[in-house]
Amino acid sequence: MAPGNSAEYYRKRRETIGQFSVPIARVKLNALTEELKKQNKTKTQWLNEKIDEELGR
C-alpha cells in the first residue's frame, strides 16, 4: 500500500469505525479471553453481540 493510500484508508476507517476501550481487572480479562477461545470468538465479535443484545437487535 502506498503511503498516500494508507493515510486515506485510515481516514476513511475512522469515519466508520470507533474505538471502545475500558480498563478491567486482569483476572477478569484473562477469564474472558479463555472463555472466548473455547467459543472460538474474538473480543470484537463478543462485544458486538452484547451491544446488539442491549440495543434489542
Side-chain angles (χ1 to χ4, degrees):
M1 186 180 302
N5 292 340
S6 178
E8 183 64 25
Y9 168 79
Y10 284 109
R11 189 174 301 115
K12 293 245 184 248
R13 181 176 166 86
R14 285 190 298 272
E15 290 175 3
T16 59
I17 303 292
Q19 253 341 84
F20 183 83
S21 177
V22 295
I24 62 171
R26 176 64 63 183
V27 67
K28 283 186 178 184
L29 179 58
N30 291 343
L32 176 62
T33 301
E34 286 302 312
E35 183 60 31
L36 293 177
K37 273 187 197 176
K38 292 177 191 173
Q39 297 177 23
N40 198 29
K41 289 183 184 177
T42 66
K43 288 181 271 188
T44 301
Q45 289 170 325
W46 176 80
L47 183 57
N48 277 322
E49 289 174 7
K50 295 301 175 186
I51 291 171
D52 288 345
E53 286 176 17
E54 285 297 315
L55 297 176
R57 294 183 183 166

